[in-house]
């Protein structure tokens, strides 16, 4: 297939989109849809929006697919408007978990929903997957309901829910759907549609990879239990601690989390079973990753790359990604606060150079394109085409991270394919500038001075985002992140490369406060580190426990599930605010809470006027004059506007909208009904959108990593 020409508006522009009304069906001469996709996001016909990606994928295989975006939830009327589909209705909360999308780490309402026209916050319900599924059953009694997207994917087993502060059961049971699709859902969605179209009943679809279903009575699941030893990894079926055990016993919850994490490799992940009272949820092995040809075919689908013409207001997430290119999906980093691995998988799935260049040329024909690509990347910009040295090793591997505690000797870290791709992109006649705005994995980048050189010279617009997250090695170990020394080496290399290119550029490092394993004293160390390097963070990520992440297990249980060791976690919201205030040591508005934090940490020696102090005394101090809009001077990093990333929680690959929640993503990597793809709402822990750390004021020490 080839991309449609994306030029000026046509008289009947709506016909370029998937049907959204009964009139659209009539215009096509269709009596009914085969599949209806219900999404909590606005309808943007762009591959970064997971539900739409799945809809286009099914359309490309001959199915008649319609989209119902952000239906009203007080009645099934919106969902029923196009009539009853012949095969099934797919349900997704959108590119982000609906609770993460709505609430902050302090459990306050967010000021904007980036996936809604105008950023309005009341366009979707809480726990949207459950609400929409109930409406679908009311609208279409007896029709199979297929649950997918990132919310369903990350809530598929018993899980801790931060916003209600309780362990909830599998969302499949609460939604009462027939099938749950987890992970990137193209393969499962296609098999479900194909087999239903062939006449199989939905009750027979129990063996599809990447799906879960309910066994409704003990007769169906008790024989399976009898064949297994509890809490072991022997046998073909892995039996997780039951929901009741996980809810009442934190040790059992930690065991459940550990067992689940080791079954994420699609090449050796085993089926799992988890009992919930009289019922049990059966999880098939993860779906196999897409090949390069299949990835190319996915992004060659006829996306208009535009919001539906019915919308009058701008959609923030779309503005972030409309001129960006996704080159790959997946992440083998295994950061404990990020859910990309649980959702997109750790196997990197890359597009070919030809596919990427075709999309660049299609973008050049869009209205509003000015020759600037806002991002060429993925969940991690520099993992393009990285893989294990051979398929046999990869198929047998059960490591949770290919780069922690050190880079695996079997991992091919060659940046040559990415260097070659970026060169071809910037040599396209219509491209004036191609930025790399996705996060760069600096421990990998260290291995390729040529990549860092090209990155600084050609693909950085003054600021480059990186994520050291913390300065304390103990905290970083709990995050599965490399030592701060690795970041410092990369910073030195990048700054030298920028100077050699004759460019003054800054790193924009992101930090997380309140992560499990981090104490007030650790945060004091972080604040001192930032001050010593002339760094003034403008916004900091306050850790949010997103469903299914390893760090969330630490937060809830106080146990590291991978080592069974106790872990300190700040659960009191005031303590979390104090941690954040310490990192904002330079901002007078945070001084009162920072003083309280320093007293609690026994570091009153840092309250005063001396150069080593973090904040001034409470009385008799005149705050430095603050100039509105001042960005500071040279520094380790510099402030910037909304980042190519969404709120915390998922590292959202994907749109990664700027100032909203991120699911732990780069927005690039959310799920659609049944699974996501593209940029918005990546699963990860960045709901507040990791924001920039800015440089110190004029007169501070020279920027770290710069020569002089």
């Amino acid at each position: 297939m080839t991309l449609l020409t994306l030029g000026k508006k046509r008289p009947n522009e709506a016909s370029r989109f998937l049907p959204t009304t009964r009139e659209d069906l009539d215009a096509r001469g269709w009596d009914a849809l085969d599949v209806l996709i219900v999404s909590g996001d606005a309808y943007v016909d762009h591959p970064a929006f997971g539900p739409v990606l799945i809809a286009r994928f099914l359309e490309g295989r001959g199915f008649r697919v319609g989209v119902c975006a952000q239906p009203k939830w007080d009645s099934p009327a919106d969902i029923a408007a196009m009539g009853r589909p012949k095969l099934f209705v797919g349900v997704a909360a959108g590119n982000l978990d609906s609770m993460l999308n709505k609430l902050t780490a302090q459990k306050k309402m967010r000021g904007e929903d980036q996936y809604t026209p105008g950023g309005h916050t009341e366009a979707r319900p809480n726990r949207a997957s459950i609400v929409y599924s109930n409406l679908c059953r009311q609208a279409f009694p007896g029709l199979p309901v297929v649950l997918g997207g990132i919310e369903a994917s990350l809530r598929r087993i018993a899980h801790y829910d931060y916003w209600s502060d309780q362990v909830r059961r599998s969302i499949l049971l609460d939604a009462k759907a027939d099938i749950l699709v987890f992970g990137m859902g193209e393969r499962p969605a296609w098999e479900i549609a194909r087999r239903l179209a062939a006449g199989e009943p939905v009750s027979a679809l129990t063996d599809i990879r990447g799906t879960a279903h309910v066994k409704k009575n003990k007769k169906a699941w008790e024989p399976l239990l009898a064949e297994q030893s509890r809490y072991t990894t022997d046998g073909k079926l892995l039996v997780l601690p039951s929901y009741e055990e996980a809810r009442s016993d934190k040790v059992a919850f930690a065991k459940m989390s550990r067992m689940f994490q080791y079954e994420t490799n699609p090449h050796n992940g085993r089926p799992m079973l988890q009992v919930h009272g009289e019922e049990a949820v059966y999880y098939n092995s993860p779906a196999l990753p897409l090949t390069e040809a299949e990835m190319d075919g996915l992004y060659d689908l006829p996306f208009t790359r535009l919001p539906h013409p019915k919308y009058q207001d701008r959609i923030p997430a779309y503005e972030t990604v409309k001129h960006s290119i996704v080159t790959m999906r997946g992440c083998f980093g295994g950061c404990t606060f990020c859910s990309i691995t649980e959702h997109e998988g750790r196997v990197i799935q890359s597009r070919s150079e030809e596919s990427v260049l075709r999309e660049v040329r299609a973008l050049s024909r869009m209205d509003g394109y000015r020759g600037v690509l806002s991002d060429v990347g993925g969940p991690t910009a520099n993992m393009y085409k990285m893989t294990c040295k051979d398929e046999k090793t990869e198929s047998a591997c059960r490591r949770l991270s290919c780069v922690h505690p050190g880079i695996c000797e079997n991992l091919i870290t060659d940046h040559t394919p990415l260097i070659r791709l970026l060169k071809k992109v910037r040599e396209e006649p219509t491209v004036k500038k191609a930025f790399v705005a996705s996060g760069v994995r600096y421990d990998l980048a260290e291995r390729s001075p040529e990549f860092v050189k090209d990155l600084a010279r050609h693909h950085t617009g003054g600021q480059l985002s990186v994520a050291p997250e913390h300065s304390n090695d103990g905290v970083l170990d709990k995050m599965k992140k490399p030592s701060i020394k690795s970041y410092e080496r990369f910073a030195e290399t990048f700054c030298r490369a920028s100077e050699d290119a004759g460019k003054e550029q800054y790193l924009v490092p992101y930090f997380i406060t309140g992560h499990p394993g981090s104490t007030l004293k650790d945060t004091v160390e972080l604040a001192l580190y930032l001050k010593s390097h002339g760094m003034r963070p403008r916004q900091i990520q306050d850790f949010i426990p997103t469903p299914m992440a390893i760090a969330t297990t630490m937060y809830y249980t106080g146990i590291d599930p991978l080592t069974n060791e106790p872990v300190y976690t700040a659960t009191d919201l005031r303590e979390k605010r104090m941690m954040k205030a310490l990192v904002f040591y330079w901002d007078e508005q945070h001084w009162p809470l920072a003083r309280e934090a320093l007293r609690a940490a026994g570091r009153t020696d840092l309250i005063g006027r001396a150069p080593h102090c973090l904040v001034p005394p409470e009385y008799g101090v005149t705050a430095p004059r603050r100039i509105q809009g001042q960005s500071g001077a040279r520094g380790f990093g510099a402030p910037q506007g909304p980042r190519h990333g969404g709120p915390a929680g998922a590292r959202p690959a994907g749109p990664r909208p700027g100032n909203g929640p991120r699911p732990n993503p780069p927005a690039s990597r959310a799920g659609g009904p049944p699974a996501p793809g593209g940029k918005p709402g990546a699963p990860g822990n960045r709901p507040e959108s990791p924001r920039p750390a800015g440089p110190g004021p004029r007169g501070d020490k020279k920027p770290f990593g710069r020569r002089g």
Side-chain angles (χ1 to χ4, degrees):
M1 296 184 182
T2 58
L3 286 163
L4 290 178
T5 299
L6 307 177
K8 297 185 179 297
K9 294 183 179 179
R10 301 174 184 178
N12 186 14
E13 187 181 15
S15 65
R16 300 167 59 200
F17 292 77
L18 294 166
T20 61
T21 66
R22 184 71 229 183
E23 290 71 21
D24 291 342
L25 266 66
D26 293 339
R28 288 168 170 78
W30 295 359
D31 59 336
L33 295 170
D34 294 320
V35 177
L36 173 66
I37 299 296
V38 178
S39 172
D41 294 337
Y43 176 21
V44 179
D45 198 54
H46 189 288
F49 289 73
V52 176
L53 186 67
I54 296 300
R56 283 292 190 186
F57 179 82
L58 292 175
E59 178 204 37
R61 276 138 190 83
F63 297 100
R64 297 177 175 182
V65 185
V67 174
C68 177
Q70 297 188 321
K72 294 179 181 178
W73 63 87
D74 57 355
S75 159
D78 283 358
I79 290 175
M82 284 187 280
R84 183 185 179 94
K86 294 179 180 179
L87 301 179
F88 70 87
V89 56
V91 173
N95 264 6
L96 288 179
D97 183 281
S98 58
M99 300 304 293
L100 175 65
N101 187 67
K102 185 163 287 191
L103 298 172
T104 69
Q106 290 290 319
K107 302 185 178 181
K108 296 179 180 179
M109 286 288 293
R110 297 190 186 278
E112 182 181 58
D113 181 339
Q114 299 213 353
Y115 296 88
T116 296
H120 299 300
T121 58
E122 299 301 324
R124 82 184 82 214
N126 292 345
R127 311 192 190 285
S129 296
I130 298 173
V131 175
Y132 291 157
S133 293
N134 288 332
L135 290 172
C136 288
R137 290 198 308 277
Q138 294 176 42
F140 312 122
L143 182 72
V145 175
V146 178
L147 194 61
I150 196 168
E151 180 168 272
S153 187
L154 299 184
R155 293 177 180 267
R156 61 188 184 263
I157 65 174
H159 58 279
Y160 173 71
D161 180 79
Y162 175 66
W163 295 274
S164 62
D165 191 27
Q166 64 180 7
V167 176
R168 294 179 64 93
R169 62 184 189 164
S170 168
I171 196 171
L172 178 57
L173 294 169
D174 288 338
K176 298 181 175 62
D178 295 278
I179 302 177
L180 182 150
V181 172
F182 58 85
M184 306 305 279
E186 293 88 5
R187 291 189 190 281
W190 185 18
E191 186 168 354
I192 290 169
R194 180 176 55 80
R195 289 172 63 173
L196 289 174
E200 289 190 55
V202 69
S203 59
L205 308 185
T206 60
D207 58 346
I208 300 175
R209 276 179 166 266
T211 68
H213 63 276
V214 178
K215 296 189 178 297
K216 296 185 178 297
N217 55 66
K218 287 188 176 182
K219 290 182 179 179
W221 53 261
E222 272 190 330
L224 299 175
L225 291 184
E227 300 173 4
Q228 302 299 312
S229 300
R230 305 302 302 279
Y231 309 133
T232 70
T233 56
D234 296 329
K236 293 183 179 180
L237 177 69
L238 190 64
V239 180
L240 300 175
S242 70
Y243 162 67
E244 288 75 19
E245 290 171 312
R247 182 182 60 179
S248 61
D249 182 354
K250 291 184 177 180
V251 173
F253 188 100
K255 286 183 177 180
M256 174 193 71
S257 177
R258 175 186 172 87
M259 294 167 72
F260 162 80
Q261 291 293 334
Y262 283 101
E263 304 305 322
T264 56
N265 184 340
H267 300 294
N268 58 41
R270 288 163 288 199
M272 300 184 296
L273 183 82
Q274 186 171 47
V275 175
H276 292 65
E278 296 296 309
E279 299 176 305
V281 182
Y282 186 95
Y283 307 89
N284 287 292
S285 299
L288 295 172
L290 299 183
T291 64
E292 180 178 276
E294 289 168 334
M295 284 286 287
D296 289 356
L298 192 60
Y299 285 88
D300 277 348
L301 292 170
F303 297 98
T304 67
R305 301 183 66 93
L306 297 168
H308 194 279
K310 67 181 178 180
Y311 300 122
Q312 302 301 313
D313 295 329
R314 64 186 288 276
I315 299 170
Y318 169 69
E319 296 300 321
T320 302
V321 301
K322 64 180 179 180
H323 294 149
S324 66
I325 302 285
V326 174
T327 60
M328 44 74 69
R329 63 165 57 159
C331 181
F332 49 68
C335 300
T336 60
F337 54 83
C338 178
S339 303
I340 291 177
T341 298
E342 286 91 334
H343 184 64
E344 293 195 24
R346 70 182 186 189
V347 177
I348 302 302
Q349 301 157 70
S350 302
R351 299 167 62 184
S352 69
E353 293 176 358
E354 293 73 19
S355 173
V356 172
L357 295 176
R358 281 197 299 271
E359 188 172 2
V360 171
R361 292 160 194 156
L363 272 174
S364 70
R365 297 191 290 271
M366 288 185 67
D367 290 343
Y369 176 74
R370 297 292 181 267
V372 178
L373 298 177
S374 60
D375 184 31
V376 180
T380 301
N382 58 325
M383 288 186 182
Y384 178 72
K385 290 202 173 180
M386 289 190 181
T387 185
C388 199
K389 67 178 184 181
D390 62 67
E391 292 183 4
K392 184 177 180 181
T393 300
E394 182 179 64
S395 297
C397 181
R398 300 184 71 82
R399 278 185 63 162
L400 300 184
S401 171
C402 299
V403 291
H404 187 274
I407 297 176
C408 178
E409 61 183 9
N410 294 316
L411 179 65
I412 298 174
T413 59
D414 183 13
H415 283 66
T416 302
L418 178 58
I419 293 169
R420 186 172 57 240
L421 172 66
L422 291 174
K423 184 175 186 292
K424 289 186 177 182
V425 168
R426 65 177 182 262
E427 288 177 348
E428 279 291 305
T430 62
V431 174
K432 297 177 182 177
K433 194 71 178 178
F435 293 109
V436 172
S438 305
V440 171
R441 185 84 192 195
Y442 47 85
D443 50 349
L444 292 173
E446 276 190 90
R447 296 191 166 197
S448 179
E450 184 182 357
F451 168 70
V452 178
K453 177 182 175 181
D454 280 1
L455 184 66
R457 182 176 294 273
H458 301 293
H459 303 289
T460 303
Q463 300 169 0
L464 177 71
S465 59
V466 283
E469 312 295 14
H470 210 282
S471 61
N472 181 281
D473 283 346
V475 178
L476 289 169
D477 185 62
K478 292 302 179 188
M479 295 177 172
K480 286 193 177 296
K481 293 285 290 187
S483 167
I484 193 68
K485 298 299 182 185
S486 176
Y487 171 66
E488 292 171 355
R489 290 191 299 270
F490 172 77
E492 177 70 23
T493 304
F494 178 79
C495 289
R496 287 180 181 276
S498 294
E499 289 183 353
D500 292 343
K503 302 172 71 174
E504 180 172 339
Q505 299 187 137
Y506 299 96
L507 293 176
V508 181
Y510 302 139
F511 295 93
I512 292 179
T513 57
H515 190 279
S518 176
T519 64
L520 270 178
K521 291 184 178 181
D522 295 328
T523 312
V524 171
E525 287 182 21
L526 174 59
L528 290 171
Y529 178 88
L530 296 175
K531 183 175 182 181
S532 70
H533 290 97
M535 299 164 69
R536 292 186 165 193
R538 300 301 167 125
Q539 289 181 311
I540 292 293
Q541 172 61 52
D542 189 357
F543 171 72
I544 294 185
T546 52
M548 202 173 283
I550 296 173
T552 299
T553 298
M554 296 184 203
Y555 176 91
Y556 170 63
T557 65
I559 301 169
D560 182 340
L562 304 180
T563 64
N564 290 325
E565 297 173 349
V567 178
Y568 175 79
T569 303
T571 58
D572 179 75
L573 293 182
R574 186 167 186 81
E575 183 179 1
K576 287 165 69 72
R577 289 196 297 273
M578 286 195 291
M579 289 181 171
K580 202 166 184 178
L582 284 169
V583 182
F584 286 121
Y585 66 90
W586 58 274
D587 187 341
E588 64 193 85
Q589 296 181 15
H590 292 275
W591 287 348
L593 204 53
R595 292 188 194 101
E596 181 182 340
L598 289 170
R599 294 187 190 104
R603 294 303 307 271
T604 54
D605 59 303
L606 297 177
I607 303 174
R609 299 181 180 86
H612 72 280
C613 293
L614 286 174
V615 295
E618 193 162 356
Y619 301 107
V621 172
T622 300
R625 186 165 67 95
R626 303 174 67 198
I627 302 174
Q628 184 175 6
Q630 180 177 0
S631 65
R634 300 171 182 275
F636 200 39
Q640 71 176 24
R643 178 195 182 205
H644 173 78
R651 269 178 193 203
R656 286 189 206 175
N659 289 323
R662 184 202 211 181
N664 274 271
S668 169
R669 326 347 169 164
K679 257 183 169 174
N685 197 303
R686 277 214 188 288
E688 251 83 54
S689 197
R691 331 262 189 165
R698 298 278 177 189
D700 276 5
K701 65 178 292 183
K702 288 187 178 181
F704 178 89
R706 297 180 63 85
R707 295 184 288 182

